[in-house]
Structure formats: structure tokens, C-alpha cells
Amino acid sequence: MDITFNTNPKLNILIPVFYLAWQDDTLSKNEFNALNAFIKNQDWFTKAEKDFLKSKIDYASPPTRSELFHWKEKIDKALDSGKNSTNLTELGILMANAERPALNEDDIKKIGVSFAEMESDLGIMSREVISGLRKQRDTITDKYKTVESFDVKKLTAFLDGTQSAVINKVKALISSPEFALDIPPDTMEYREKVLEWSKILAQHGLGSYAYPKEHGGKGDIEGYFSIMETLSYHDLSLVIKFGVQFGLWGMSILSLGTEKHYKKYLRDIASLKLPGGFAMTETHHGSNVKGARTTAIYNHKNRTFTINTPEKYDRKEYIGNTANHGEMVTVFAKLVIDDKDYGVNAFVVPIRDSDKSTLQGVTIEDCGHKMGLNGVDNGILTFKNVVIPYENMLDRFARVNENGEFESPIPSDNRRFFTMLGTLVGGRIGIPRSALAAAKTGLTTAIKYGDKRRQFGPEGGQEVPILNYRMHQLRLMPYLANAYAIHFGLQYLTKRFVNRTEDEMQEIEALAAGMKSYSTWNTRDTLQECREACGGKGYLSENRIDDLKNDTEIYTTFEGDNTVLMQLTAKNRLGEFRKQFGEMNVSTIFSYVVDKAKTSIAEKNPIATRNTDDSHLKDKTFHLQAFHYREKEILGSAARRFKRLIDDGLEAFDAANVMHPHMIQIADSYLDRVFLEQFQAQLELVTDEGLKEVLERLYNLFALNKLEQHKAWYLEQGYMEGIKTKAIRKMVSQLCWEIRQDAVPLVDAFNIPESCLGAIVTNKAAEA
Ligand SMILES: Cc1cc2nc3c(=O)[nH]c(=O)nc-3n(C[C@H](O)[C@H](O)[C@H](O)COP(=O)(O)OP(=O)(O)OC[C@H]3O[C@@H](n4cnc5c(N)ncnc54)[C@H](O)[C@@H]3O)c2cc1C
């Protein structure tokens, strides 16, 4: 009688290993040797049985497709039999004994050892293989899904706070048919569309929110920032056009001008009857605006100023709202009286008639096509003997008196210039808030897509939503936590700015400069990750990430280049440090030393540096101490290093250059600490249990992810040991896993109008 698996059931014991070996259609030499040796050494097989089994590992005649299929059916049957098999030996025995007991206890004992050896020779991880073979596996990854553990509406209300009325007003407007996001491919048509949209916003009174009530506004600066942020769910060219017209142009009048200017211009700016721009940057002077070379020469005889562009590249460049629409601009130019230079001041200069023809002496060029923001008409302005009347000087901080003499309550040109710039800090609040909204849109897109989009899955099971994959979570959840942290941080910055006192101004400017950089860099990185997280769909324009990415790219440069702004923030921190320790006397030195010693004892002892308890890793005091420690150490070491460089005879400018990377770290560690503190402060305000729990989780992720990012530094400092940084890494991954369940409701809480979301989110796509 022929030998087959049916006639000699005990041979079935080898079906799982045969199946695994031939699964990829080839048998490696190693696999052959292991199987051949096993068969040869089994004295409970007859010679005929051994020959039969050897015929199944013959390179020359591999099993047919239908034979492989048949083996798999038998395996599935055994796995589904309800009898437990945790390794290949048990599975084989189960199959051998499936119809009737073919192997007795003695056989089984003998087989166990040699089978285990064969598995090891084949490099098989038995348990893993068994779970891989199990059909319809009930895996954790597969089952995981979105839950809504909190009330989304409550979270939206918490995020919007006192601003919900204006936010909802803007959302309603941008959701209306006239704001449908049909961007014309032609640049000129696009610019006209953006102008038209801006006019509608003006008609609804949104342009004048920040202006004083007596000049037709609402006197509500906070409202203005909320409008900027909410509009940023829509087209970003619109936001920038809006920001240039009502923010930069209007606010330059309000901040640098006086009552006569408010009366003359503000209402027309608010209605967009008078479109204008803000002309500070010159081709040769961007970050270094104090070096601007445009001149405003005072002529006492007829009380006028003559505006000139001395050399070609002293022209104003990139000026928003000027290539097509602007009729006036605020020009930053050096005031010259009787050949004496009084530093950079601001002047209102008409550039076009209301019929749009360019005025005499003014040359306007178009900056042309850009990487993004093509709905904004950026222009290049050159002035040749353009005469403007005396009252066009914005004279809040400086003026020319009746005798033709320069007058200013701030004698130093330098200080006056920076005071002027300081009043314009609002732009550095509007831009990071706009950037945050773009990041929220990107996250909403990628997270909602990831929740639906399925790829791969367990053998025989259904495919799994990509958001269930740990790596996918690790790519997106930290950015989700950042978005919440930055949201709370920018709310804090806005409130500080709105309620500022004179003596807080420098600190607020430094904070705004830093937060502008932090938020816009975060948006750049978030959108890149979101694009990739959506695969090919992320690349399609209909899903908007391309526009968001291209448009926010320049956010890291305009309103001040981020790297330069971080220097400004760091300088302020160093200044504060020096104020505190520069005037060191015995008692301050003593308390500083005691303070440092206390840190060492409390935070850098062997128990603390190795503490991996969950409760410790999630302890807010631990986070705050660790963030403070990094901030203080970097600041203190920078101050000492700077002093050493100067003591060694380096010029201050050279020393500052050597210190630049260190300065960026000062700003970064300071900002991390402020964002952390503000997140903590917000948690204190949450009363709803569901909200508190989910926000605590996000908070922990924000805090621990930052520690993880800076772990090299903490290890260098001996503030943590490897065992602790490893535990942090593990917890970051675990938090991402936990947050994934709430990720969709967490982006739903941003409440972004559906009309502003891409097709992959709104199900308009044929197939997600
Ligand atoms: C689309 C767009 C719209 C704009 N709108 C306006 C507008 O309406 N009005 C207006 O006045 N301006 C506007 N700008 C100009 C913008 O504000 C400037 O581009 C910006 O201030 C940077 O200046 P810059 O381009 O000359 O760069 P640069 O100052 O030349 O900087 C180039 C690089 O050098 C680095 N760098 C510079 N200084 C230092 C330093 N000290 N240490 C280390 N690194 C340094 C910077 O980090 C940057 O990476 C706009 C620009 C664009 C592109």
C-alpha cells in the first residue's frame, strides 16, 4: 500500500514544518539539512515512511500549489479544533492524532526533544509562528479603535474659552458658499479672489476688531488674533492678505502714528477702501532692518519729506499687498535733517491713485510666483524723489518740530527704533497662531485618515487601520500633544500682550519672538509628517496639505527669521540672568550656591536619577524640575562662557558669534519650560473628569517626549541614568498607544469647518 499522510497519520506531525519551509516556494540548504537530519534520526518511522517524508523535501519536486493549500487547510482545522497548541510540536501532534491516536505518550516524549532541536536548527520561533498561522486572529492591534472617552463639545468650548463667539462667527463665514475653496490656477485671478474675500471680511467688521471704538473698531485685540487663527483653517493667502492690510498696515498707523493719523486713515483701512502695506524689508537689509538705507530727507522750507531709494538694492522688497492693490504704504526710512541722520522712522507714502495708476517717482515691480501664498501680491518698491507732506511722518515716538528740529521722548536712535518695533509685536502673535491652525488642519487630516485607512494585517485576518501601528502613532501623537501645548502657550502669550504693562514689554517681546519660532517650526515639521502619514493621498492637492505646507513655509522667515528671533529671546534671558546675578553680593552668591546644591541633592541623587516608577515619570513636579534644570544650566553656563570669552580678549561681536548655537539652546529650553508650565496651568482649570484624563495624557506625552528629545543632554549632565531614559522612551510609546483611542475626538475638538478639510477627511474621495 502506498504511504500517504492519510494512510499513515503520524506523519502529519511534519506538515506544519513542511508548510513553513515551502511557504516561500523554495527550500534553503539549511532547511533541507535540518529536516533531512530529523527524518533520518527518527527510529519510530519505517524506512518507507522516511522515504515518503524525504520525497516532500526534494528540491526537484516541490509540493504543488494545491498540496500547499491542502496542508494549510489541515493546519487551520487543527488550530480551530479548540485544542490548545502553543508550539509546532504540539500542533504537529495534534494533527497526527486528529483522526485517531497515532502517537502514544512514549512517542510524544521522545519526539519532543528532537523536534525542539529541529525547530532551533530551522531558526523557528514556535510561538510566533503559531500565532502567525492562526486564522482570524483576534489581535490587539486589529481590535484597537477610536473611542470617545470625553465630551468633544466640552473640549472645544474649553479651547475656545471667551473667544467662542467670534471664532464661531468666522467659522460660519468661511463655511459659506462665497468662501468655497476653489482656488483659481491663474495667479492674477487668485489675487483678485483673495481681495474679494478680504472685502467681505471687512464688510462683516472683522478688519477693525483691534482698532479703537472711537475710530470704528471694537478695541478688541484678542478678538483680532482669534480671527487670524480661525481664518487660517481657510486659504492662507487670505490670512496673510488680511494680516497685511488690517494688521501690519493698519497697526503701523495705530502703533506708530497719532490721533490725526487714526482719524484720517483707520476707517478706510478697516473697510479696505484704502488698501496698503508695510514696507520695512529692503533687498540688502532683511533681518537687519536697522540697517535700512531708504532715506526721508526733511525740507523745512515747504515742510515735506522726500523719500529716496539711494542704490538699487535699497529698494523695499517682498512688500505684501503692493504688486496689484496697495495705494499707500508705511515706509521705514532714515530721517535726514540738514544732512544729519536721525535713524529709522516711519512714514506714510502713497504709491498708487485710487484708479490704481502708479504715482510719480514710484516704481512697483511684482515679486512673481512664489513657493506659496500666491494669492498675495508681493511687490518691490523703489522711490525716486517722492515728496510727501509733513503730517505723513508717523510721529508717536519722534517728530520734527516747528523749527525743523528733531524731537523725541526717546533720545537714543537705537532704543527708539526698538521701541517702535516693540509696538509691532502683534504680528509675532498672529503668525504663530495662524501656524498653529495650519498644524491642526494637517493633524486632523492625517489622524482621521489614519483611523480609516487600512494596510496589512494578521494572516487571515482583516487589514488594520494604520493609526493602530505603533510607529504611526509615534509619528503623529507627539505633534498632537505639541498642538495642544502650543495652543495653551499662545493663549497665555496673547493674554500677556493684551494686559501688558510698560515694564513687562521687553519680556513679552522676547516671549513672542521665541513662541513665533517655536510654533512655526513645529508647524513645518508637523505638516511634513502629516503629508507622509497620508501616503500618496497626502500629496494630492485636494487634501490641502500641499498648500498648507507651501504657504506656511515662509512663516519661519517673515515677521522675523526664526533663528534670528531665537537670538533675541536668548539675549533677553541672558539680560535677566545678569540683572539677577550681575549685581552679585555675598548674600545672592550664597543663595545661588545653596540653590544649586539643593538641586543636586533633591534631583541628582542616585535614587532620583534612576527612578523609573510610573508615578514619578508622570509627576508634574518632576517635569517642572527637569525642565527648569535644563533651562537654568544652559543659561548659567552660557553666561559663564560668554564672560570667559570676553575675559580671554575676544571682541563682544565675535564672542556672540561663538555663542550663537548656545543662545538657541537658551531660548529653546526657556520656551519648553513656559509651554510646559502653561499646559500644567490649564490642567488646573479643567473640572470635567473625562477632559482632565485625556488632557493629562496629552500633557504627559508633551513633557516626556521633550525629555526624550533631550535625553542626550540629561545623560551628559548625569541628571538621569540610562535606565530612566529608557523607561521614558517606553512610556512615550505607551502614551501614544493610549492617546490613539482618543486621537480622532481630540482633533474633532478643533472643530475645523468641514469645507476647509480635504476629501480624504470628508469622504468625498471615491476610496480613502
Ligand atoms: C512672502 C513674503 C512676504 C513678506 N512680506 C513682507 C512685508 O509685507 N513687509 C516687509 O517689510 N517684509 C516682508 N517680507 C520680508 C521678510 O520679513 C524677510 O524676508 C525676513 O525678515 C528675512 O530677511 P531676508 O529675507 O533678507 O533674510 P536674511 O536676513 O538675509 O537671512 C537669511 C539667512 O541668514 C540667517 N541670518 C541672518 N542674520 C543672522 C545672524 N546674525 N546670525 C545667524 N544667522 C543669520 C537667517 O537665519 C536666514 O536663514 C516678506 C517676505 C516674504 C518672502
Side-chain angles (χ1 to χ4, degrees):
M1 192 169 67
D2 278 353
I3 293 178
T4 65
F5 286 116
N6 286 340
T7 55
N8 297 39
K10 68 177 177 186
L11 304 184
N12 282 299
I13 190 169
L14 279 168
I15 286 186
V17 258
F18 284 168
Y19 177 76
L20 285 172
W22 284 111
Q23 205 177 11
D24 53 4
D25 288 333
T26 56
L27 194 68
S28 71
K29 201 165 170 61
N30 187 28
E31 286 167 335
F32 173 81
N33 289 341
L35 288 166
N36 194 39
F38 175 80
I39 296 166
K40 208 168 124 200
N41 295 333
Q42 305 310 306
D43 53 13
W44 49 285
F45 289 145
T46 63
K47 164 126 188 359
E49 284 173 337
K50 283 185 184 176
D51 289 343
F52 168 76
L53 290 171
K54 279 185 186 168
S55 75
K56 298 294 161 197
I57 54 169
D58 181 359
Y59 298 109
S61 75
T64 59
R65 284 267 115 206
S66 64
E67 194 168 10
L68 272 175
F69 190 72
H70 185 61
W71 290 349
K72 182 67 175 51
E73 265 184 344
K74 284 191 157 201
I75 293 170
D76 288 344
K77 205 168 154 199
L79 288 170
D80 293 343
S81 66
K83 293 184 188 140
N84 201 18
S85 52
T86 55
N87 57 42
L88 284 180
T89 320
E90 285 173 12
L91 179 62
I93 294 166
L94 201 62
M95 291 175 70
N97 288 346
E99 302 297 329
R100 58 193 146 88
L103 297 169
N104 60 37
E105 284 302 313
D106 279 351
D107 294 335
I108 290 173
K109 260 192 215 141
K110 270 190 278 168
I111 300 163
V113 180
S114 45
F115 222 92
E117 267 171 27
M118 176 184 55
E119 281 183 28
S120 134
D121 288 346
L122 287 170
I124 292 173
M125 302 275 285
S126 226
R127 272 173 188 281
E128 207 175 281
V129 168
I130 290 286
S131 78
L133 288 171
R134 207 177 286 279
K135 204 177 152 193
Q136 303 287 352
R137 282 189 320 166
D138 224 6
T139 64
I140 296 169
T141 307
D142 180 34
K143 272 196 305 191
Y144 211 47
K145 59 178 194 287
T146 291
V147 294
E148 206 171 293
S149 70
F150 63 93
D151 185 335
V152 172
K153 283 208 170 74
K154 274 191 191 162
L155 183 52
T156 305
F158 183 71
L159 291 174
D160 293 353
T162 56
Q163 299 296 297
S164 63
V166 68
I167 290 173
N168 290 335
K169 180 175 171 168
V170 176
K171 283 182 181 169
L173 254 179
I174 58 179
S175 304
S176 64
E178 53 198 337
F179 278 87
L181 269 168
D182 297 326
I183 308 291
D186 177 83
T187 303
M188 289 304 156
E189 282 178 33
Y190 186 12
R191 290 176 182 180
E192 292 311 311
K193 179 99 184 169
V194 167
L195 179 67
E196 197 186 300
W197 279 336
S198 304
K199 283 183 179 162
I200 301 174
L201 296 176
Q203 279 159 17
H204 282 84
L206 296 178
S208 60
Y209 248 68
Y211 304 163
K213 287 189 179 143
E214 58 274 26
H215 297 290
K218 281 202 166 15
D220 179 0
I221 297 177
E222 196 175 354
Y224 169 78
F225 291 127
S226 299
I227 295 168
M228 270 285 276
E229 182 175 325
T230 313
L231 273 183
S232 305
Y233 296 131
H234 194 261
D235 176 53
L236 294 178
S237 284
L238 171 61
V239 177
I240 298 307
K241 184 90 169 177
F242 181 92
V244 169
Q245 170 69 18
F246 307 114
L248 288 178
W249 161 227
M251 292 306 278
S252 65
I253 299 291
L254 190 62
S255 305
L256 306 178
T258 47
E259 198 59 30
K260 57 182 179 291
H261 301 113
Y262 307 161
K263 271 199 196 120
K264 191 166 176 189
Y265 300 119
L266 281 182
R267 281 176 197 273
D268 287 348
I269 294 176
S271 67
L272 238 169
K273 190 171 160 212
L274 182 57
F278 178 89
M280 185 181 269
T281 306
E282 292 174 2
T283 306
H284 272 179
H285 288 95
S287 297
N288 179 18
V289 275
K290 212 178 134 258
R293 285 169 45 94
T294 305
T295 50
I297 299 169
Y298 178 64
N299 324 292
H300 192 51
K301 232 192 265 162
N302 53 7
R303 304 211 83 198
T304 58
F305 298 95
T306 306
I307 309 293
N308 263 306
T309 303
E311 305 277 343
K312 181 172 179 190
Y313 294 115
D314 300 332
R315 64 195 187 177
K316 297 292 178 186
E317 190 168 352
Y318 312 112
I319 312 308
N321 209 14
T322 61
N324 297 119
H325 302 131
E327 291 173 20
M328 271 188 196
V329 286
T330 296
V331 171
F332 289 81
K334 287 195 300 187
L335 171 61
V336 179
I337 307 174
D338 294 332
D339 292 331
K340 195 166 177 324
D341 177 354
Y342 287 92
V344 176
N345 285 271
F347 303 85
V348 174
V349 182
I351 56 169
R352 280 195 185 88
D353 272 344
S354 52
D355 68 3
K356 300 290 176 203
S357 43
T358 307
L359 293 175
Q360 206 187 349
V362 181
T363 309
I364 307 175
E365 293 164 76
D366 198 315
C367 289
H369 197 266
K370 305 182 291 275
M371 183 172 174
L373 297 179
N374 280 299
V376 183
D377 52 325
N378 292 93
I380 301 170
L381 308 175
T382 308
F383 303 100
K384 190 151 193 263
N385 296 325
V386 175
V387 178
I388 55 167
Y390 171 79
E391 54 277 9
N392 281 23
M393 178 171 178
L394 294 174
D395 56 355
R396 177 168 165 204
F397 295 107
R399 67 185 200 109
V400 182
N401 70 15
E402 300 298 312
N403 304 322
E405 294 155 344
F406 181 78
E407 267 185 9
S408 170
I410 311 169
S412 148
D413 285 355
N414 204 27
R415 245 195 72 208
R416 187 179 335 108
F417 182 67
F418 285 107
T419 307
M420 275 168 58
L421 287 192
T423 62
L424 302 171
V425 71
R428 293 185 185 154
I429 299 175
I431 289 301
R433 290 189 55 168
S434 171
L436 172 65
K440 287 177 179 173
T441 307
L443 285 166
T444 304
T445 309
I447 287 175
K448 295 191 109 175
Y449 182 63
D451 188 52
K452 288 187 306 184
R453 172 73 173 170
R454 291 170 183 272
Q455 288 294 291
F456 304 99
E459 181 79 21
Q462 61 170 342
E463 287 187 300
V464 172
I466 52 176
L467 203 54
N468 286 4
Y469 292 116
R470 292 269 185 166
M471 192 57 222
H472 209 72
Q473 293 162 6
L474 210 51
R475 289 165 67 190
L476 293 175
M477 299 306 131
Y479 285 118
L480 182 62
N482 282 3
Y484 273 82
I486 292 172
H487 178 99
F488 297 134
L490 290 175
Q491 298 276 325
Y492 164 73
L493 170 66
T494 308
K495 292 216 156 51
R496 290 284 312 268
F497 176 69
V498 170
N499 304 313
R500 66 194 179 276
T501 58
E502 195 62 33
D503 53 349
E504 290 177 321
M505 220 25 228
Q506 278 193 348
E507 185 211 335
I508 294 171
E509 278 170 40
L511 188 64
M515 285 196 171
K516 183 265 180 186
S517 306
Y518 198 98
S519 169
T520 57
W521 270 330
N522 176 70
T523 293
R524 178 199 61 189
D525 298 344
T526 304
L527 290 173
Q528 180 62 34
E529 205 59 71
C530 290
R531 206 297 294 149
E532 292 179 35
C534 293
K537 290 284 179 198
Y539 198 65
L540 300 188
S541 299
E542 64 174 17
N543 293 319
R544 297 207 63 217
I545 300 182
D546 70 334
D547 273 347
L548 293 175
K549 249 168 78 70
N550 289 338
D551 292 345
T552 54
E553 185 60 55
I554 195 64
Y555 281 36
T556 61
T557 300
F558 66 19
E559 279 295 344
D561 170 84
N562 281 4
T563 308
V564 175
L565 289 185
M566 291 288 270
Q567 259 177 295
L568 205 126
T569 307
K571 263 190 210 153
N572 175 275
R573 300 312 297 159
L574 265 180
E576 289 298 311
F577 182 84
R578 284 211 198 92
K579 255 190 239 162
Q580 205 181 342
F581 295 110
E583 305 128 21
M584 274 190 183
N585 53 36
V586 176
S587 82
T588 53
I589 290 175
F590 181 72
S591 59
Y592 179 66
V593 172
V594 170
D595 199 36
K596 281 202 75 150
K598 263 196 223 149
T599 299
S600 302
I601 296 163
E603 300 168 40
K604 279 178 79 173
N605 62 60
I607 297 175
T609 57
R610 296 176 60 83
N611 194 345
T612 58
D613 287 354
D614 274 17
S615 59
H616 169 70
L617 296 183
K618 289 182 179 170
D619 179 8
K620 295 194 187 69
T621 310
F622 157 57
H623 302 153
L624 203 53
Q625 281 175 343
F627 278 51
H628 262 303
Y629 178 78
R630 178 166 156 256
E631 181 189 3
K632 279 187 180 172
E633 274 299 315
I634 291 175
L635 188 57
S637 73
R640 288 192 298 276
R641 192 170 160 217
F642 195 70
K643 185 171 179 308
R644 213 170 36 243
L645 291 171
I646 299 289
D647 289 350
D648 287 350
L650 220 59
E651 284 297 323
F653 190 79
D654 290 326
N657 191 22
V658 173
M659 294 288 300
H660 197 178
H662 207 145
M663 299 285 275
I664 303 294
Q665 291 308 314
I666 293 178
D668 189 56
S669 58
Y670 159 68
L671 293 161
D672 276 345
R673 191 262 300 162
V674 176
F675 280 110
L676 182 95
E677 267 179 354
Q678 291 315 309
F679 210 147
Q680 290 192 352
Q682 289 300 314
L683 289 177
E684 292 296 311
L685 304 178
V686 185
T687 48
D688 181 277
E689 274 311 308
L691 282 197
K692 207 176 181 77
E693 207 175 299
V694 72
L695 287 176
E696 289 263 1
R697 235 178 258 136
L698 274 180
Y699 159 80
N700 277 318
L701 178 57
F702 174 76
L704 292 171
N705 186 48
K706 288 285 166 197
L707 293 179
E708 154 87 347
Q709 280 172 354
H710 297 293
K711 69 181 168 205
W713 187 87
Y714 284 106
L715 287 164
E716 252 177 27
Q717 296 287 320
Y719 192 85
M720 292 183 201
E721 288 189 35
I723 185 175
K724 188 162 179 174
T725 55
K726 276 184 201 163
I728 289 176
R729 182 168 66 225
K730 202 169 141 208
M731 188 168 276
V732 164
S733 172
Q734 184 55 26
L735 283 164
C736 289
W737 173 259
E738 288 169 17
I739 290 167
R740 179 269 175 265
Q741 285 201 312
D742 282 312
V744 170
L746 278 167
V747 293
D748 277 341
F750 299 146
N751 195 22
I752 299 175
E754 196 167 296
S755 60
C756 300
L757 292 170
I760 44 171
V761 182
T762 55
N763 285 329
K764 276 181 263 171
E767 198 239 341

